[in-house]
Each structure stands twice: as structure tokens, then as C-alpha cells.
Amino acid sequence: MHIGIDFGTSYSAAAAIIDGELSLVRFGDAEQFRTAVFFPELVPDPNDFTLTPALEAQLETQLRLARTQQRQQAAAVAARGQAPVSRSDDELRREALRVVRRQWMEEQTRATSASVASFQHALFGEEAVEGYLESGGGNLIESPKSMFGYRLDPQVRKVIMHIATHILEHIRLSASHQFGVPVRGAVIGRPVEFRSSMGAQGSEQAIEILREAAAVAGFDHVSFLEEPAAAAMHYHQSLQQRQYALIVDIGGGTTDVAHAQLGGGEAAYIARSWGLPKGGTDLDVSVSLHSFMPQLGKDQISMPAHRYVDAASVHNLPKQREFRQQNYRLVDEPYGARLRALQELGATTRLNQMAERSKITLSTSSRHRAELDFIERDLAVELGSEDFLAAIEPFLGQLERTLATVRNDLDELPASVFLTGGTSRSPQVKARVQACFPEIPLVQGDPSLGVVSGLAVAASEAVAGRH
Ligand SMILES: Nc1ncnc2c1ncn2[C@@H]1O[C@H](COP(=O)(O)OP(=O)(O)OP(=O)(O)O)[C@@H](O)[C@H]1O
Ligand SMILES: [Mg+2]
């Protein structure tokens, strides 16, 4: 059986067409899950140390080395006419044992972080975020898709690969269980352009990672379909009359646009696509920088601005590490103590959740209060719509420029604009898209499940094509 998989930056979903009907894969009670994985770090237990024959041999080597060193030092000291200070054989043995034990611990730590053992206890979705915040340890990887297109050192690439594998396996097993047949194939959605630090090469690497991860996760047949093309499939089936439409999918990590000929009972034809590697997660960072970070000293003290960007960029592991490694002991109060609180495990994740919540509330309300108790007792921020608009204006400007390019590239205006993606829930974002195409109707699709529905259709056609 083949399924469609929307491996989203923020949310993932899967579906299949069964007897001509769309059937969504359920994850617990939900039809999608937050694309996050938490895996507890398996720290080696020092009590597990016992002297195996191999370690005994290491101990003897250490001891011989220590005895030789002691003899050489004694000879050198005696040559200077001084009395040598010698340590008993027991002392030397204790010291050698300490060294062997330390080497063993280091080796165990290396082995656990390099192995997949620690992935066995992984948690997914919201549970992953909660598990991380509650456990006070381990690793949380949110939105791994954001990192697929970045230059990754081999160790990080391996971790990202494991995570992608785990997510795809979770989806495959959930689907197999629900449908009662082994799921062996998938059509996976891809953005037109992945978020990347290496241009087009980043998108190639991202596809490589997904392809490899899907194979390990047990999929024998995998193909990819651009996300806006998938969203178009869904719209396509609902159109009686053949028309050119513009599909705009504004998600968590990327904004994708496709110009497609749809409907009228003929096959859908995707003529062209455009991508802007920005989305809702960038809005969260903007809200955080605009409204929260001033409480931590941004624009108040002489701290390089990029430190705040590092702290707000929860999906960028190197930036998070960089922020946590800084020493804020000498920063003026109250900002020093607040920055140190933000360095605590899980604090940047919590702040980011608050920024996302503020964004969602302010898309329909004029005020929102965010309590920052975990930074400092009674610390809170009041946000108004004007703050929200100022924070998201850079993204709206980029969206507008992308849509202006699209408009300019087209010979004729399309008949309609079909809007989908979680970020399109924001009336401000929707208004900006409409303002770029005031002459034609804006059709709002299902913001969450449009892409996965189209992928399910493509997956059923992939199977039909094979037989
Ligand atoms: N009411 C709302 N206003 C603004 N943004 C919202 C609202 N509701 C959800 N979002 C945002 O929508 C985004 C998720 O959208 P979606 O599920 O389409 O993304 P995705 O498919 O995971 O990402 P991508 O397609 O970019 O890989 C999140 O950033 C979320 O905060
Ligand atoms: Mg999406």
C-alpha cells in the first residue's frame, strides 16, 4: 500500500485513498502531529563498571607505565642528590584504576551518542516537547526539516538522518496498523525550495536525506511531489471548469507557489512553481525579537544583537549552542539574571512557544499578555496588534515581493488564488495575498490538510500507474 506524507516543518500528516475515499492516518486522537522528537540521553551509569579481562589488561598496562615512570623520576631526583618520594604499589594501582575507569566512561558516552540506542525511547509531537520540558535533560529536535538543507557536519547529519528515519517509521507503522496492511510506498511532499545555506545544493541534500531515511524506515517505493502541486490536486478535483489557478501554501518553514491548469475532468497540469524559504516559524522568531527580547536587554544594553537572534532561533542547533555557551555573569541587572534564566534547559523552547501562541492569538485579537515567570517572577509582556504588525511586516514584505515576481512572470492573470498552509490562518497574511491579486477571487482551502490530501491522491495514482 502507498500513502501520501506531508513531512511539514511544524506539523506532519499522512493519508491514503481507500475505496475512492480520503482516509487520514491518526496519531493518537489527532490527524497530524507536531514535527518534533525528544529522545532521552542515555548517560552511562558509572556503577556498570566492572573489571572485564580486557579492562584488567588495560589496568596492568597502566600500572606498568606508572611503575616505569616512578622509577625514572626517582632516578632523576636521586641524580640531583635529593631523596625520591615514592608512592606505594597500592597507590599506583588505585591511580591506574581511576584512569581505566575514566577511559571506560568516556568510551561509553561516545558509544551512546553515536548509536541509535537512545532513539528507542523517543517521543513524538507535543509529547516530545512536554517530555523535554519535564525531564530536564535529553534532546529535543523540533522542525528537523528546517535543517535538511544546511551544511551539516557528518555527526549532525547522522543525527538528523536518524530523526527523519524515526518520524517516517512512526508514520509508516501508524498507517500499517490503522489500515491493517503493510505500507510499503509513499509520495512525500517537498517544498519548491528547502530552507538552505547552500542554495540549490541544499534542496538536493534535503531530498537525499529524506530518500535515505525513508528507505531505512521501510519504504520500498518513494517519490516526491512539490507541496503546492499536492495542494493543487485537491483543489483540482473540486473544479468543474478547467482554469488556470495560483496555489499559495504558506506553511511553517516555507512559502510555496504554483501556477497550475486544473479542473474540468482532465489531468492537473503544473506549469510553474516559485518558493520563498520563509514561513510561520520565522514569524515566531520576529515576535520574540520584537516583543520579548527587549525584556532580556535587546536594544537596552550593549549586547551584540545576534545573541538575541541565536536565542530566538530554536530550530537552529548551532545557534542555540552558541547562545547557551555565553557567559552573562557580568551583564547589568536585571538583564544578566534574565539571560542566565534563558540559558536554562528548555527555556528558549518555552519562550518560542509563547511567541507562537502570541502570534496565533494576535492574528484575531487586539491584545495578548504573555507571562514570563520562568525567566523572572512576575515578569510579563503585553502585546498589541500594532506590535504584531510591526514584527511580521518584514515577512509580509517578502511575501509581497515574491507574489509580485509571480505576477510579473505570468502572461495572464489566473482565474483564482487558492490559499492553504497554517500561516494562511492569519487574516493579516491573507489580506496581503489578496492585496497582490485584487482582481481575482481568493479561495481558502483547508489550511492544515490540503497538502496531505493531494499527496494521498498522488500516492494512489502512483500505485495505479505501476499496475
Ligand atoms: N491562527 C494562526 N495565525 C498564524 N499562524 C498560524 C495560525 N495557526 C497556525 N499557524 C502557524 O502555521 C504554521 C504551520 O503551518 P503548516 O502546518 O502549514 O506548516 P508545515 O506544513 O508544517 O510547514 P512547511 O509546509 O513549511 O514545511 C505554524 O508556524 C503555526 O504557528
Ligand atoms: Mg506544509
Side-chain angles (χ1 to χ4, degrees), residues 195 280-291 293 308-309 312-315 352 355-356 391:
R195 294 168 82 96
T281 50
D282 298 287
L283 296 185
D284 305 339
V285 172
S286 298
V287 168
S288 180
L289 287 172
H290 188 272
S291 296
M293 292 303 178
Y308 294 101
V309 177
S313 305
V314 288
H315 308 305
N352 180 64
E356 185 181 15

Side-chain angles (χ1 to χ4, degrees), residues 25 37 42 66 77 79 195 200 259 275 287 289 415 435 437 442:
V25 176
V37 187
L42 294 188
V77 170
R195 294 168 82 96
H259 184 227
V287 168
L289 287 172
F437 295 94
L442 185 73

Side-chain angles (χ1 to χ4, degrees), residues 8-11 145 227 251-254 280 356 359 363 421-423 425-426:
T9 306
S10 305
Y11 294 95
K145 184 181 182 182
E227 286 155 12
T254 57
E356 185 181 15
K359 170 188 79 174
S363 71
T423 300
R425 284 203 170 90
S426 151

Side-chain angles (χ1 to χ4, degrees), residues 326-349:
Q326 299 304 312
N327 184 342
Y328 296 119
R329 245 180 324 155
L330 299 178
V331 174
D332 290 347
E333 295 306 340
Y335 305 118
R338 292 177 186 176
L339 282 165
R340 291 194 295 278
L342 191 59
Q343 284 179 308
E344 292 290 318
L345 197 91
T348 52
T349 300

Side-chain angles (χ1 to χ4, degrees), residues 45-272:
D45 185 348
N47 295 326
D48 288 345
F49 178 76
T50 48
L51 269 184
T52 58
L55 290 172
E56 193 100 51
Q58 272 184 32
L59 178 69
E60 287 309 319
T61 311
Q62 279 295 332
L63 197 55
R64 263 200 310 280
L65 215 74
R67 285 187 191 124
T68 314
Q69 247 171 18
Q70 173 148 301
R71 267 200 306 279
Q72 284 168 348
Q73 275 165 4
V77 170
R80 289 202 297 271
Q82 296 160 345
V85 191
S86 81
R87 289 190 293 168
S88 73
D89 215 63
D90 263 349
E91 273 179 288
L92 290 182
R93 182 172 283 275
R94 263 202 305 281
E95 176 61 13
L97 188 64
R98 201 182 65 78
V99 171
V100 169
R101 192 175 160 285
R102 185 182 61 201
Q103 282 172 352
W104 176 84
M105 278 293 284
E106 282 170 2
E107 206 172 294
Q108 296 298 304
T109 311
R110 258 200 307 278
T112 22
S113 61
S115 83
V116 289
S118 52
F119 289 87
Q120 281 169 2
H121 306 283
L123 294 176
F124 297 92
E126 297 296 350
E127 271 182 31
V129 181
E130 281 160 24
Y132 173 67
L133 293 177
E134 277 165 19
S135 81
N139 290 290
L140 175 76
I141 309 285
E142 276 193 274
S143 310
K145 184 181 182 182
S146 298
M147 292 181 72
F148 290 169
Y150 277 72
R151 214 173 284 285
L152 305 171
D153 70 49
Q155 190 57 34
V156 177
R157 189 185 194 278
K158 209 165 140 190
V159 172
I160 295 291
M161 250 291 297
H162 279 315
I163 287 163
T165 304
H166 232 79
I167 290 172
L168 289 170
E169 185 151 63
H170 178 58
I171 293 174
R172 198 179 71 78
L173 295 177
S174 305
S176 301
H177 178 70
Q178 179 174 330
F179 299 136
V181 283
V183 171
R184 297 269 183 258
V187 177
I188 305 178
R190 57 154 296 174
V192 174
E193 228 182 276
F194 278 86
R195 294 168 82 96
S196 160
S197 61
M198 312 184 277
Q201 220 190 320
S203 285
E204 280 167 33
Q205 173 181 292
I207 291 296
E208 249 173 58
I209 291 177
L210 277 171
R211 204 181 276 287
E212 211 176 312
V216 179
F219 289 102
D220 298 333
H221 307 281
V222 169
S223 59
F224 293 91
L225 182 64
E226 286 183 349
E227 286 155 12
M233 287 253 207
H234 186 55
Y235 185 39
H236 163 67
Q237 291 186 320
S238 69
L239 289 175
Q240 303 297 320
Q241 295 265 313
R242 191 108 179 127
Q243 62 161 248
Y244 267 105
L246 203 63
I247 315 297
V248 181
D249 172 10
I250 313 179
T254 57
T255 297
D256 297 282
V257 183
H259 184 227
Q261 204 179 11
L262 307 173
E266 292 172 55
Y269 167 68
I270 309 296
R272 197 162 172 182

